[in-house]
Amino acid sequence: MTDSINRRRFLKVLGVSGAGAAAVSACGIGPGPTERLIPYLIQPEDQIPGIATYYATTCRECAAGCGVRVRVREGRAVKLEGNPDSPVNRGRLCSRGQAAIQGLYNPDRVQHPMVRNANGTFEAIDWDGAIQRLSAKVTEARGTGIVFLTGAEVSSFGDLVDDWMRQVGGRRVSYEAFGFDALRAGNRMAFGTASLPAYDFANAKYLISFGADFLDTWLSPVEFQNGFARAHAFDGGRPASMAKFVFVGPRLSLTGMNADEWIGARPGTEGALALAMAQVIVSRRLAALPADAGRLSGLLAQYTPRTVAEQIGIEQDVIVRLASEFAAARGGLAVAGGMATQYANGAEIVAAVNILNYVVGSVGTLVKFGADLAAGATNSFSDIAALTSDMAAGKVALLLVHGTNPAHSLPGAFQQALGKVGFKVSFSSSVDETTAACDMILPDHHPLEQWADSRPRAGVTAFQQPVVQPVFDTKQTGDVILRLAGRTGTFQDHLQAKHRTGRGAGFDQFWMETLAKGGVYSETAPAARAVRLGDVANLAVAAPAAASGDQQDIVVFPHAVLHDGRGANKPWL
């Protein structure tokens, strides 16, 4: 017989089908859809059973842009570790990054597009039908208010959203629950620039943090952990004495626990302490002062240690000692943020700490404007308040939400205003508070399933690539926008076209090398940009009225692992 099968082939088929049937029967599995069991005889070329494959991509659990390497076994991601090639985290990864894999396989993910029906409940819809409905809504809303609300997106995706919003007459607004609006405002007060500088913790010889939890959640914590470990150790070719670390703040956080000294200042008085230290340094000429330090004499005269000691709750001898130590180190770095910027005078506290850095010559050496961070590149809270007012007034006909959950973190006025929006679409992969109030859900791929890039700081472009096939029937939001905009191709094509400019025939080689490395990293650090001290003569850092009687001060801070709540659905956290 020419069509007969040989003995080996027969036993393979019989063994696979028989064992599968026996296993199903033995487990007592009831009636269900028949699944075809295919032996793993022809596997992908880059996968060998039992041998792991590693892919470089970028963590998106926060805006720091840490590089990661994903361990994949038989098509499943099983472990994330830091990418040693990334200049941001240099091979390290925080707990939130480690737990990102639980978001990929989370059974509570939205597994397909859904739309709210006449009964007010969500029902499944196919992707073509969902995109057609959304396209019709976009057409209806042109000229009557279209807003695309995103998280911190300094990326090709953010650029695409901006282009599409201009095309349809809408606008993009970005929002992060723990934004850095006060940090930008304080930099603007002191130096006339709203950018976020790079902080060189590794080369600091004395560290003082005014509420900034740089080992927990502030800006780029893994990068700062690396720098702090180097500054606070007896290695790396540094002098024998390690950098002293002082933490100033009413709450002893994880960062504060790692300090050599904790100064429990009263809430909101951190700025007064910084100016008092600057007053001691300038009046006693403890450091090589900048040429225009004389402009600060009027301001600093109001913040002598004796004047502010009672207000801060610290003895004046301690203030003088801290100032003397900070100046004598000849390499002091002061940072402000976190808790200290949540008060009403948060921006003024940042400006005061900037002045302290300025008088000891750290601005331009350890505080580098020009090598700017993109972590705080979001709209201000006043912009969010204006958006809430527009929504409440019925001026927003179509709201699209991606990568943020404002209904959870903003006051109840935002939740009420959502009810006045004509049509609301969420691209979230889970039913959070904002998504639950929307009319349509178009679930985005998990970051480990999608193509993307981001620009976390000057000189760094971090890339994302899919390390596994999509687990559920989701679609990358970039692909949806391209279809709505009438463009051909996928977001991967769009991303490649954007990075192809100027590379000509060598693009394919560049693309493969970039994906293998995890991004485009500048060989040299961006040069520091000179800044000038602004008009700070009228700077007022008066703290809010202290609690009295049975009143209590409330200190708001991001959780070390849950952050603003986005990690609460991951068991590891």
Side-chain angles (χ1 to χ4, degrees):
M1 295 177 61
T2 57
D3 295 334
S4 62
I5 61 175
N6 58 30
R7 181 173 179 272
R8 181 184 298 273
R9 175 66 176 165
F10 172 76
L11 290 176
K12 284 182 179 179
V13 175
L14 180 64
V16 171
S17 59
V24 171
S25 299
C27 293
I29 298 176
T34 301
E35 297 184 5
R36 189 179 300 276
L37 185 60
I38 302 175
Y40 200 58
L41 297 177
I42 305 177
Q43 66 269 10
E45 293 181 359
D46 61 343
Q47 293 181 9
I48 302 174
I51 304 298
T53 305
Y54 293 85
Y55 296 94
T57 186
T58 302
C59 176
R60 296 307 303 270
E61 294 301 303
C62 75
C66 294
V68 295
R69 285 182 178 173
V70 186
R71 183 169 178 252
V72 178
R73 282 281 305 272
E74 287 80 47
R76 290 180 63 87
V78 296
K79 189 68 170 71
L80 274 67
E81 293 292 351
N83 183 357
D85 292 329
S86 171
V88 177
N89 56 319
R90 301 190 184 280
R92 278 73 172 179
L93 196 61
C94 71
S95 57
R96 282 186 286 160
Q98 295 280 357
I101 195 170
Q102 292 194 313
L104 175 64
Y105 296 115
N106 195 322
D108 293 332
R109 281 181 63 184
V110 180
Q111 302 182 10
H112 48 72
M114 296 191 294
V115 65
R116 195 179 297 277
N117 58 26
N119 297 325
T121 59
F122 284 112
E123 63 181 15
I125 186 175
D126 64 89
W127 276 105
D128 288 337
I131 293 176
Q132 287 176 4
R133 288 198 189 190
L134 179 54
S135 179
K137 293 294 183 180
V138 171
T139 302
E140 293 175 8
R142 280 179 182 265
T144 58
I146 301 177
V147 176
F148 204 123
L149 184 59
T150 71
E153 278 289 348
V154 183
S155 62
S156 293
F157 173 75
D159 297 339
L160 176 62
V161 172
D162 290 335
D163 291 342
W164 184 49
M165 285 294 99
R166 284 191 290 267
Q167 177 184 334
V168 299
R171 59 190 169 109
R172 176 165 78 103
V173 178
S174 54
Y175 166 74
E176 281 287 338
F178 290 98
F180 301 98
D181 196 21
L183 190 57
R184 290 183 175 278
N187 291 341
R188 190 184 301 111
M189 288 179 182
F191 302 124
T193 175
S195 59
L196 300 184
Y199 298 93
D200 189 358
F201 284 85
N203 291 310
K205 298 178 182 178
Y206 194 104
L207 291 166
I208 181 165
S209 171
F210 294 85
D213 291 326
F214 61 85
L215 298 181
D216 300 26
T217 55
W218 188 66
L219 292 176
S220 186
V222 178
E223 178 182 3
F224 296 157
Q225 288 168 16
N226 286 335
F228 173 74
R230 183 178 174 188
H232 208 243
F234 292 102
D235 59 9
R238 293 174 55 86
S241 59
M242 67 180 184
K244 181 178 180 179
F245 172 35
V246 178
F247 185 82
V248 178
R251 170 180 171 267
L252 186 60
S253 63
L254 176 62
T255 301
M257 291 178 185
N258 283 273
D260 301 299
E261 184 177 0
W262 172 40
I263 305 296
R266 291 172 180 166
T269 64
E270 294 88 344
L273 174 58
L275 290 181
M277 290 176 61
Q279 192 276 336
V280 173
I281 294 171
V282 172
S283 63
R284 302 187 182 186
R285 295 190 173 276
L286 300 179
L289 302 177
D292 57 350
R295 297 171 51 200
L296 297 169
S297 57
L299 170 67
L300 298 181
Q302 308 171 48
Y303 294 92
T304 63
R306 177 179 297 180
T307 304
V308 302
E310 183 178 355
Q311 174 192 2
I312 301 173
I314 302 172
E315 296 180 358
Q316 58 178 315
D317 292 343
V318 175
I319 300 175
V320 173
R321 175 178 60 82
L322 290 176
S324 301
E325 292 176 353
F326 189 73
R330 298 296 187 266
L333 172 62
V335 292
M339 295 177 292
T341 56
Q342 304 302 324
Y343 312 126
N345 63 339
E348 287 78 9
I349 292 174
V350 173
V353 174
N354 280 333
I355 292 173
L356 177 59
N357 279 320
Y358 186 75
V359 298
V360 297
S362 295
V363 177
T365 56
L366 300 177
V367 181
K368 301 177 182 178
F369 289 91
D372 300 336
L373 302 175
T378 57
N379 285 87
S380 65
F381 288 114
S382 59
D383 295 332
I384 301 300
L387 171 62
T388 303
S389 299
D390 288 345
M391 291 163 54
K395 297 179 180 180
V396 179
L398 176 61
L399 178 68
L400 304 106
V401 184
H402 178 276
T404 187
N405 184 16
H408 168 71
S409 53
L410 288 177
F414 184 88
Q415 183 82 10
Q416 296 173 1
L418 275 175
K420 304 293 182 64
V421 177
F423 195 76
K424 304 169 289 292
V425 180
S426 171
F427 296 96
S428 173
S429 59
S430 61
V431 183
D432 53 31
E433 289 79 359
T434 305
T435 302
C438 288
D439 302 297
M440 181 182 289
I441 307 174
L442 303 180
D444 192 10
H445 285 338
H446 187 272
L448 296 178
E449 301 171 328
Q450 63 182 223
W451 292 98
D453 68 359
S454 59
R455 301 182 291 275
R457 75 179 193 198
V460 176
T461 301
F463 274 74
Q464 287 173 243
Q465 61 175 320
V467 302
V468 295
Q469 293 293 324
V471 178
F472 302 114
D473 183 23
T474 57
K475 186 181 288 292
Q476 185 159 357
T477 304
D479 292 338
V480 175
I481 294 176
L482 288 171
R483 283 190 57 179
L484 292 170
R487 303 188 193 180
T488 59
T490 64
F491 188 74
Q492 178 187 358
D493 300 327
H494 173 79
L495 190 65
Q496 288 180 324
K498 188 165 184 178
H499 290 279
R500 188 184 299 273
T501 305
R503 292 191 168 88
F507 173 76
D508 291 340
Q509 181 69 20
F510 157 81
W511 186 254
M512 296 301 296
E513 291 177 353
T514 298
L515 292 182
K517 190 163 57 174
V520 180
Y521 311 131
S522 175
E523 298 293 335
T524 58
R529 185 178 73 250
V531 293
R532 296 178 59 85
L533 185 66
D535 184 8
V536 294
N538 297 320
L539 181 67
V541 295
S548 60
D550 58 351
Q551 296 179 337
Q552 293 182 336
D553 289 314
I554 297 178
V555 177
V556 180
F557 60 94
H559 195 276
V561 291
L562 302 182
H563 197 59
D564 60 354
R566 68 187 67 181
N569 62 343
K570 299 180 177 67
W572 285 356
L573 301 180

